[in-house]
Amino acid sequence: MVDHVRAWHPAVPSLREVYHARFDHCYPMHTHDDWAVMLVDDGAVAYGLDRGDHHAVPGALTLLPPGVPHDGHSAIEGKGYRKRVLYLEPDWLPSGAQGLAVRRPTLAAPGPIVAARRVHAALRDPGDLMAAEHWLLAVRDHVLDHLGSPAPTLRDTPLARRLRELLDDRLTESFTIAAAAADLGSHPSHLVRVFSQTYGIAPHQYLVGRRVDLARRLLVDGHRPAETAALAGFHDQAHLTRHFRRILGVTPAAFASARPAQSGCVAPVVGAE
């Protein structure tokens, strides 16, 4: 399977990004700050979500909540996969939905799948953005029905939460775990252990994943890779490229070249570098 990607920001409320990919990429454990609603059109993806094992397959809608560690790889040896993802604002669903989505990330009923497909169909034409908004609201209603009543928030400890807030606040800055531990009045080893036990991901992995997430949005907005590296907190463009490709399976340059033209029409799909 030849690697292809494209991504863009439609002018649809709550919809931060649309991402289409066709490749055989093994995602390492990472997080992002958006809700991700994924359709797999071909192949299958095996993924871990907060220590649970799942599969994303054609005929199902997969819901990945913000801030929860997950990975992914082809579930079929020697075969890639094709997927379409809607990235949505963190407040797209009410508080408490995150915990429920961790336990029930798969929607297999026809209603939400049809609605999600209609969102993507409407996004093909800039004149149909209101239709895309309508069907996205329908997806939300289906998801809420699937999840039921909000559950308590994910396990947390005050110290892990404080470190996570520090990492988010200083996302693009250079600092050490020792400095963070001093700020929080903790030993570095204890701080890393508490964070990893609480969130299922090490602090440095969380930080790099968040920076790649930011870099992805900057590239879609039209920033050049070198500029993006500086704005997203990477040491240089090579540093960005290494982590961007490791997490997303494509170089920043290839990802940026897949942006749609300024007219709003979707750009032709391009091969990854």
Side-chain angles (χ1 to χ4, degrees), residues 102-269:
V102 167
R103 296 191 293 277
R104 303 187 64 196
T106 303
L107 289 78
I113 299 167
V114 169
R117 288 173 177 167
R118 288 179 174 173
V119 172
H120 286 283
L123 289 171
R124 295 171 186 164
D125 189 330
D128 287 341
L129 294 184
M130 186 175 289
E133 182 180 5
H134 166 84
W135 288 111
L136 188 58
L137 290 170
V139 171
R140 183 180 186 275
D141 289 343
H142 283 295
V143 168
L144 290 174
D145 287 344
H146 169 77
L147 296 180
S149 301
T153 55
L154 293 175
R155 62 184 176 276
D156 200 359
T157 67
L159 181 59
R161 182 170 60 250
R162 289 168 62 200
L163 176 56
R164 184 167 182 163
E165 291 170 350
L166 185 150
L167 296 176
D168 290 341
D169 289 343
R170 301 178 63 181
L171 181 61
T172 62
E173 300 177 23
S174 296
F175 58 95
T176 64
I177 292 175
D183 287 345
L184 299 176
S186 175
H187 189 278
S189 295
H190 179 65
L191 189 62
V192 169
R193 182 167 58 252
V194 168
F195 188 95
S196 300
Q197 290 174 345
T198 301
Y199 295 115
I201 191 170
H204 74 279
Q205 292 176 302
Y206 174 81
L207 187 64
V208 169
R210 287 294 317 281
R211 287 174 173 172
V212 168
D213 213 34
L214 173 58
R216 191 192 71 224
R217 293 197 298 271
L218 290 169
L219 290 167
V220 173
D221 283 339
H223 293 278
R224 297 184 303 276
E227 181 185 21
T228 293
L231 291 173
F234 290 93
H235 179 70
D236 53 24
Q237 185 174 342
H239 187 215
L240 166 65
T241 297
R242 178 163 61 88
H243 287 293
F244 197 94
R245 187 164 198 169
R246 180 178 61 86
I247 292 177
L248 295 181
V250 64
T251 66
F255 188 89
S257 69
R259 289 192 309 117
Q262 293 300 315
S263 63
C265 297
V266 176
V269 178

